[in-house]
Amino acid sequence: MDFKEYQKESIKTDLNVVVKNSNLAYYALGLCDEAGEVAGKVKKLYRDYNGELTEEYKKEIEKELGDVIWYLSQMCTKLGLDFNEVAKMNLDKLNSRKERNKLSGSGDNR
Ligand SMILES: [Mg+2]
C-alpha cells in the first residue's frame, strides 16, 4: 500500500468528515496527541522496562506510529494535498540537502 491508497482508504474512518464539522485544528491537535503517545511509549520503555525493547512493546509503538500516519493523511486531505506527493517532496528535499551537504544545520529552506 502506498500513501495515496492509504489516504483514500483512511478517510472512510474519519468521523469528522462524515459529520462535516471538522477543521484543520482538529487534525493538527490529533497529530500532536498521537505523536505524544509515541513519545509516551518510549518514555515508559525506559521508566518501566529499563529500556529493553521487546517485540511486543515495539508493536505497541508501531500502533501509535500508525495513528500518527492517520492524522497526517487526514491533514493532507483537509488541505487538498496528495499524501504520496508530500512524502515524495520531503524525500526530494532531504536528498537535495544531502547532495549539498546541508543535512545538518537549521532553517526550513536550506
Ligand atoms: Mg494512539
Side-chain angles (χ1 to χ4, degrees):
M1 173 182 288
D2 66 16
F3 286 133
K4 191 177 188 90
E5 185 181 350
Y6 180 88
Q7 186 174 13
K8 186 176 148 201
E9 288 300 314
S10 69
I11 196 169
K12 296 174 184 172
T13 63
D14 186 353
L15 295 174
N16 287 287
V17 169
V18 174
V19 297
K20 308 244 187 269
N21 69 350
S22 60
N23 62 43
L24 199 55
Y26 173 84
Y27 299 101
L29 291 168
L31 179 59
C32 291
D33 181 25
E34 295 299 342
E37 288 188 36
V38 171
K41 290 284 182 197
V42 174
K43 178 201 77 177
K44 290 172 185 169
L45 176 67
Y46 292 96
R47 185 189 69 186
D48 301 336
Y49 303 101
N50 202 29
E52 293 176 23
L53 184 61
T54 63
E55 287 302 313
E56 183 181 15
Y57 202 83
K58 187 161 58 173
K59 195 75 186 166
E60 294 303 310
I61 295 172
E62 184 181 27
K63 289 177 191 173
E64 298 305 340
L65 290 171
D67 290 342
V68 168
I69 288 174
W70 189 92
Y71 276 101
L72 285 173
S73 181
Q74 304 326 308
M75 282 198 74
C76 287
T77 299
K78 199 69 186 170
L79 291 166
L81 300 171
D82 181 324
F83 194 8
N84 228 28
E85 285 300 314
V86 171
K88 183 181 179 310
M89 186 178 66
N90 179 258
L91 266 184
D92 290 347
K93 178 185 77 175
L94 294 172
N95 283 330
S96 170
R97 286 180 182 173
K98 184 178 179 186
E99 287 169 12
R100 294 177 291 110
N101 202 25
K102 296 278 187 183
L103 278 175
S104 59
S106 56
D108 288 341
N109 297 306
R110 64 183 185 278

